[in-house]
Amino acid sequence: MDENNVEIKEFLEFVYTFYKSMKDAKVELVYEGEITHQITKAFTSLTETNMQLTEESNNTQKKVFHVMIECLQNIGKHADPMNPEDFNKDGRGVFVLCKNETEYTITTGNIIQKHKVDEIGSSLDNINSLDKEGLKQLYKHQIKEGRLSNKGGAGLGFIDIAKKTGNKIHFHFAPINDDFSFMVLTSTITR
Amino acid sequence: MEVIKIVGTDDTPSVTLDVANEIFEISGRSLPEDVAAFYEPILDWIERYSEEASGKTVFNFKLVYFNTASSKMILDILLKLEEMYESGKDVMIRWHYPEDDEDMEEAGEEYSDIVEVPFEQISYPLD
């Protein structure tokens, strides 16, 4: 086999391994790329249709829809471009929706400027430390005091996800270089 | 005043602001691509209306879904109505929620805690 054929074969094997990993992790939907408003609408509508077909409870459907919207809009509005030319484009990142017998998990990953890591991390730690009543108070405080950012974010997304799901938000920051980190967030909706 | 009549879509709510027929209502789904652009004309309208309002204003919210960016704009509307109420106008909010939707009910409770204006919660059955 020449070198080109070896490469193709490796790639085909990679696709199969990738497929198996997705099945093992019970991935329902996975995407990497720019998160536009159209993408957000398409993914939520597709997921709604699937949940209706599988007769998921109304309550779970609403929560999954809600968390998907907030997570996708978070990437679209807050992912930072590594290339300054992409500054005015919608943010890009990876989106993964998994479903098993007991829960849905919604995971997003995107690049952020490194200097934001501490602030986002401590804000998430704070949210995770609060109970239902504490989250309610924080939500009320933020909706009153917060201002809509120029990208249309209200700073309420994480608080609302924690409040609506009743579960902790798991997160991880992986350093990319001196200026950027990769942020991964997972929200869980109990079925 | 001019009538505002916006037909809802899968990501924007229906809005009717009609003084002559005494209809003030926002209903449906709210997750517009650009929340500020969608809600600004509505806030401007209420601002102008608040100066000339003479009768009773019953403002109905009948939302089935709104994202967090919209929740901020909804509060801005409520704050304008609160200002109206504080200046002596007859204002009331009716917050309608589907009977099985605890989150929407709770959202109404939270808003009523934040603004000082007569606030009624009304559940309605689903079809």
Side-chain angles (χ1 to χ4, degrees):
Chain A
M1 254 195 282
D2 64 24
E3 206 176 293
N4 195 25
N5 276 337
V6 173
E7 244 175 61
I8 289 171
K9 187 162 183 296
E10 275 174 1
F11 177 70
L12 297 182
E13 280 167 0
F14 159 73
V15 172
Y16 181 52
T17 311
F18 186 62
Y19 168 79
K20 280 194 293 186
S21 313
M22 276 179 60
K23 285 289 166 196
D24 289 344
K26 305 217 183 302
V27 173
E28 293 262 305
L29 179 61
V30 59
Y31 172 83
E32 194 283 327
E34 212 177 327
I35 307 284
T36 62
H37 189 61
Q38 293 312 319
I39 291 276
T40 300
K41 278 172 43 172
F43 287 0
T44 47
S45 135
L46 175 72
T47 307
E48 270 192 315
T49 309
N50 285 339
M51 287 191 294
Q52 277 158 13
L53 285 172
T54 55
E55 294 180 346
E56 193 59 71
S57 76
N58 268 343
N59 197 28
T60 304
Q61 285 195 32
K62 263 182 283 193
K63 289 190 197 305
V64 170
F65 180 81
H66 196 93
V67 175
M68 276 185 77
I69 296 274
E70 295 300 327
C71 286
L72 288 163
Q73 291 188 331
N74 263 345
I75 304 178
K77 287 170 185 164
H78 302 299
D80 290 316
M82 283 178 80
N83 181 353
E85 279 172 22
D86 294 334
F87 191 74
N88 285 321
K89 289 191 187 156
D90 287 311
R92 60 186 300 139
V94 54
F95 175 85
V96 186
L97 172 71
C98 300
K99 173 191 163 184
N100 65 27
E101 292 70 29
T102 54
E103 61 195 28
Y104 284 86
T105 56
I106 292 167
T107 306
T108 56
N110 59 268
I111 294 167
I112 54 164
Q113 290 167 12
K114 206 167 221 168
H115 68 87
K116 296 179 183 167
V117 166
D118 287 347
E119 197 191 328
I120 299 176
S122 55
S123 155
L124 285 164
D125 279 333
N126 178 42
I127 288 168
N128 283 338
S129 74
L130 296 171
D131 61 5
K132 193 174 189 316
E133 191 49 41
L135 287 168
K136 221 169 157 164
Q137 294 311 323
L138 182 62
Y139 184 90
K140 277 195 237 173
H141 174 81
Q142 180 64 27
I143 196 173
K144 269 192 285 188
E145 306 300 324
R147 299 203 65 82
L148 213 59
S149 73
N150 55 357
K151 291 188 173 173
L156 293 163
F158 294 151
I159 308 173
D160 202 49
I161 290 170
K163 202 160 146 279
K164 292 236 162 71
T165 64
N167 293 317
K168 308 268 175 251
I169 300 170
H170 297 286
F171 60 97
H172 176 67
F173 298 101
I176 295 174
N177 58 29
D178 287 348
D179 300 318
F180 294 98
S181 288
F182 194 74
M183 171 173 80
V184 184
L185 292 169
T186 296
S187 311
T188 308
I189 295 118
T190 312
R191 291 177 71 190
Chain B
M1 277 190 75
E2 82 279 12
V3 172
I4 290 193
K5 178 96 192 156
I6 301 168
V7 177
T9 66
D10 59 353
D11 61 0
T12 52
S14 299
V15 182
T16 307
L17 299 172
D18 180 343
V19 180
N21 292 303
E22 298 179 350
I23 303 170
F24 309 91
E25 184 173 286
I26 298 181
S27 62
R29 276 185 167 194
S30 181
L31 54 142
E33 180 163 19
D34 185 343
V35 272
F38 183 83
Y39 281 99
E40 257 155 30
I42 297 166
L43 287 162
D44 282 348
W45 190 97
I46 298 171
E47 178 77 40
R48 283 181 286 119
Y49 167 70
S50 66
E51 283 158 28
E52 63 171 58
S54 53
K56 188 174 170 70
T57 305
V58 178
F59 206 105
N60 289 286
F61 289 89
K62 200 173 182 179
L63 293 157
V64 289
Y65 173 78
F66 58 87
N67 65 350
T68 55
S70 301
S71 71
K72 178 74 186 155
M73 304 312 285
I74 294 166
L75 179 64
D76 287 347
I77 293 174
L78 292 170
L79 290 169
K80 288 229 182 293
L81 296 168
E82 179 186 48
E83 263 175 49
M84 256 178 92
Y85 178 70
E86 281 170 348
S87 73
K89 312 270 183 180
D90 192 356
V91 182
M92 156 161 244
I93 314 289
R94 287 213 172 111
W95 184 267
H96 304 259
Y97 60 92
E99 62 184 1
D100 69 339
D101 193 338
E102 279 172 31
D103 288 334
M104 197 52 80
E105 181 180 5
E106 199 175 296
E109 279 165 19
E110 285 165 2
Y111 281 128
S112 72
D113 288 346
I114 298 172
V115 292
E116 298 286 327
V117 59
F119 202 107
E120 221 175 76
Q121 293 247 62
I122 301 162
S123 76
Y124 61 90
L126 294 168
D127 313 324

